[in-house]
């Protein structure tokens, strides 16, 4: 390792006390062993040197941004190298004329959004963890978020990438133009690849103009989750266009209010929280509230500010603090949302376990969390329920993950959704770009 130390100097950490703090992410994946070292990369050159060194020695590499991932994608490998991108956190350029931003991967998502807003623009991808997660991590998992119902997922906003390949070569994909059909769409190939094909060291992302007027936040209470799901289906299928449409069950709302009091009323079944923007924001919000009332809402109104949306962002830490730690992020077609909620409730009763459900309701992405004793038996029981919830989503023409990715936590579920041909094609791509299998081996695909 002396040769790597010579090239990276103080940017290579080898002391056990320093390395250990980089070995885990926010997931329930359990790391055993010890990593060799951490590269605190500050440039594409640093990443290139690190990957070339590891590749030549068949040393596994884990890629780490902010460590907020929930599927074990950034967990270290025993005797492996950790490449940390947290120091690569520069917003290189905001180009208002082109509505583009050029950023390094360690930029915090909310910081990019704030900088863009100073130019009358915004960055549409908006994960609940936007104040802690990074743009690079969002791209690596193709993250969604609260504004997905109106603006889609991260891949819809990535124009070009600079990627370091497993052998240290640097690849540039995409273009700054609106149209570009030259060659294969390598940009989209790397979006969502979870660090298995290369390391993103720079991204050109698209920005959108800030909507005019004041956003309007609204809420609706339902006695039954199924009724709330049916209301969401009707809203999404109507002419209304909410910017945000989030659904929380009673347990989630109670957990948020206990941990981060915000004044939310705890419903019997579910609370739908949304936001509209633009010149007709108030009229759109009222039209959505009428749809909610027509589909069983027991109470519905416009809120005085956006505190409810901010409270929704705290659901994950609130539920974790309450002991609901085992999670999944399945997705179903919006038309099957009511069936999904009914099915989750039935599964929770069958397993005799407490389940909290939060949904990016407008796009059918559910985050279910199960309460489990912190014992091997308790975690195993919760994992069995999570597996059943995942199978339920698939039976409703859904997906095993909407935005968190596969990582190592969900790797066993991969063949539940993909057939042998699909898996073979994806692994062939992995083999072509990383023939020695040093980048995040055994994860994603």
């Amino acid at each position: 390792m002396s040769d790597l130390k010579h090239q990276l100097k103080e940017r290579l950490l080898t002391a056990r006390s320093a390395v250990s703090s980089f070995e885990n992410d926010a997931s329930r994946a359990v790391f055993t062993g010890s990593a060799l070292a951490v590269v605190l990369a500050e440039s594409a050159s640093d990443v290139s040197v690190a990957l070339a060194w590891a590749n030549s020695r068949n040393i596994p590499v884990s890629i780490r941004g902010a460590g907020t991932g929930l599927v074990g994608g950034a967990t270290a490998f025993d005797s492996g190298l950790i490449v940390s991108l947290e120091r690569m956190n520069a917003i290189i350029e905001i180009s208002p004329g082109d509505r583009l931003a050029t950023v390094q991967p360690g930029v915090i998502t909310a910081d990019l959004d704030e900088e863009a807003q100073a130019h009358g623009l915004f960055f549409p991808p908006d994960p609940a963890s936007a104040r802690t997660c990074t743009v690079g991590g969002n791209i690596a998992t193709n993250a969604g978020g609260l504004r997905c119902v109106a603006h889609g997922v991260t891949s819809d906003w990535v124009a070009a990438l600079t990627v370091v390949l497993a052998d240290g070569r640097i690849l540039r994909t995409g273009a700054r133009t609106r149209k570009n059909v030259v060659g294969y769409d390598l940009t989209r190939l790397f979006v969502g690849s979870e660090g298995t094909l290369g390391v993103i060291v720079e991204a050109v992302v698209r920005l959108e103009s800030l909507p005019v007027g004041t956003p309007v936040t609204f809420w609706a209470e339902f006695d039954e989750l199924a009724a709330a799901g049916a209301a969401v289906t009707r809203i999404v299928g109507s002419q209304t266009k909410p910017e945000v449409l989030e659904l929380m069950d009673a347990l989630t709302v109670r957990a948020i209010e206990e941990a981060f009091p915000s004044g939310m009323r705890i419903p019997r079944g579910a609370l739908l929280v949304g936001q509209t923007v633009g010149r007709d924001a108030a009229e759109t919000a009222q039209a959505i509230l009428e749809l909610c009332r027509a589909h069983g809402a027991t109470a519905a109104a416009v809120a005085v500010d956006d505190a409810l949306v901010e409270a929704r962002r705290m659901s994950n830490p609130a539920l974790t603090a309450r002991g609901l730690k085992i999670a999944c992020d399945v997705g179903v077609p919006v038309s099957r949302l009511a069936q999904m909620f009914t099915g989750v409730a039935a599964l929770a009763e069958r397993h005799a376990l407490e389940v909290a459900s939060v949904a990016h309701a407008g796009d059918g992405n559910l985050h279910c969390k199960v309460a489990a004793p912190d014992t091997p038996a308790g975690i195993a029981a919760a994992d069995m329920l999570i597996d059943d919830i995942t199978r339920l989503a698939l039976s409703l023409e859904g997906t095993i993950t909407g935005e968190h990715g596969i990582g190592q936590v969900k790797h066993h579920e991969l063949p539940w959704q993909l057939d042998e041909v699909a898996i073979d094609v994806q692994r062939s791509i992995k083999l072509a770009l990383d023939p020695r299998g040093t980048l995040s081996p055994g994860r994603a695909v």
Side-chain angles (χ1 to χ4, degrees):
M1 189 168 288
S2 59
D3 51 344
L4 187 61
K5 183 70 172 179
H6 176 74
Q7 295 181 79
L8 296 176
K9 300 181 172 56
E10 76 284 349
R11 299 186 299 285
L12 184 71
L13 305 180
T14 56
R16 184 77 203 117
S17 58
V19 172
S20 61
S21 63
F22 291 84
E23 290 176 335
N24 292 287
D25 58 15
S27 75
R28 66 182 188 276
V30 178
F31 173 70
T32 56
S34 59
L36 288 175
V38 176
V39 176
L40 297 176
E42 295 180 357
S43 66
S45 177
D46 287 347
V47 176
S48 177
V49 165
L51 295 195
W53 180 87
N55 190 67
S56 67
R57 292 161 176 79
N58 291 323
I59 292 173
V61 179
S62 58
I63 318 302
R64 183 184 173 89
T68 59
L70 296 174
V71 293
T75 304
F77 294 96
D78 187 32
S79 299
L81 186 67
I82 301 168
V83 175
S84 169
L85 303 173
E86 64 179 20
R87 290 188 177 183
M88 297 182 67
N89 58 4
I91 298 175
I92 298 169
E93 178 195 20
I94 301 285
S95 176
D98 295 320
R99 291 193 297 182
L100 295 173
T102 304
V103 301
Q104 291 184 315
V107 171
I108 299 298
T109 305
D111 291 347
L112 171 58
D113 195 34
E114 182 179 351
E115 182 68 21
Q117 288 189 34
H119 297 270
L121 304 166
F122 74 103
F123 182 52
D126 185 34
S129 58
R131 292 186 180 85
T132 54
C133 65
T134 63
V135 175
N138 296 165
I139 295 172
T141 60
N142 197 13
L146 276 66
R147 293 194 288 237
C148 274
V149 62
H151 301 289
V153 294
T154 299
S155 60
D156 298 312
W157 298 93
V158 180
L161 295 173
T162 303
V163 182
V164 180
L165 300 176
D167 59 7
R169 290 180 297 162
I170 296 177
L171 168 70
R172 291 174 177 81
T173 77
R176 294 173 65 91
T177 53
R178 277 287 164 179
K179 295 179 178 179
N180 172 39
V181 293
V182 179
Y184 297 127
D185 190 347
L186 296 180
T187 302
R188 289 231 175 196
L189 176 63
F190 284 97
V191 177
S193 63
E194 300 185 46
T196 61
L197 301 179
V199 180
I200 296 163
V201 292
E202 187 174 292
V204 179
V205 297
R206 302 193 188 282
L207 306 174
E208 186 59 275
S209 299
L210 278 170
V212 298
T214 302
V216 175
T217 301
F218 60 87
W219 58 269
E221 289 182 18
F222 295 84
D223 286 347
E224 302 290 339
L225 270 168
V232 169
T233 299
R234 181 68 182 90
I235 292 165
V236 173
S238 72
Q239 294 299 311
T240 63
K241 189 177 180 181
E243 180 86 348
V244 173
L245 196 60
E246 299 287 305
L247 190 61
M248 298 172 281
D249 67 8
L251 178 56
T252 300
V253 176
R254 186 177 297 109
I256 294 172
E257 283 303 293
E258 289 174 355
F260 310 101
S262 61
M264 284 193 295
R265 293 169 28 152
I266 299 173
R268 288 185 59 186
L271 179 68
L272 184 67
V273 173
Q275 198 166 66
T276 54
V277 298
R279 290 187 175 90
D280 59 351
E283 293 82 355
T284 302
Q286 289 299 330
I288 292 172
L289 292 176
E290 285 304 312
L291 289 173
C292 289
R293 295 184 186 104
H295 286 77
T298 55
V302 167
V304 296
D305 54 31
D306 63 356
L308 294 179
V309 175
E310 294 307 306
R312 156 64 184 93
R313 296 183 186 279
M314 304 309 297
S315 62
N316 188 54
L319 289 168
T320 300
R322 192 182 171 92
L324 288 99
K325 301 177 181 179
I326 311 300
C328 66
D329 81 307
V330 296
V332 295
V334 176
S335 63
R336 314 299 287 270
L337 203 55
Q339 291 172 269
M340 187 66 195
F341 281 122
T342 300
V344 169
L347 287 172
E349 184 176 356
R350 184 188 309 165
H351 285 259
L353 289 171
E354 192 175 48
V355 179
S357 295
V358 185
H360 300 308
D363 59 30
N365 188 189
L366 281 79
H367 301 285
C368 299
K369 300 195 75 171
V370 180
D374 196 10
T375 64
I379 292 172
D383 276 333
M384 287 178 64
L385 174 51
I386 288 293
D387 282 352
D388 280 352
I389 290 172
T390 303
R391 291 188 182 96
L392 171 64
L394 289 172
S395 75
L396 297 174
E397 302 177 286
T399 178
I400 63 177
T401 175
E403 59 181 347
H404 292 168
I406 299 295
Q408 58 177 300
V409 170
K410 299 179 75 69
H411 197 265
H412 68 286
E413 299 174 357
L414 197 67
W416 299 357
Q417 180 168 339
L418 301 181
D419 62 23
E420 290 183 10
V421 174
I423 292 175
D424 181 62
V425 168
Q426 296 196 45
R427 290 179 177 167
S428 295
I429 294 170
K430 165 72 171 172
L431 184 64
L433 293 178
D434 181 18
R436 294 196 173 192
T438 56
L439 290 179
S440 301
R443 295 176 185 172
V445 301

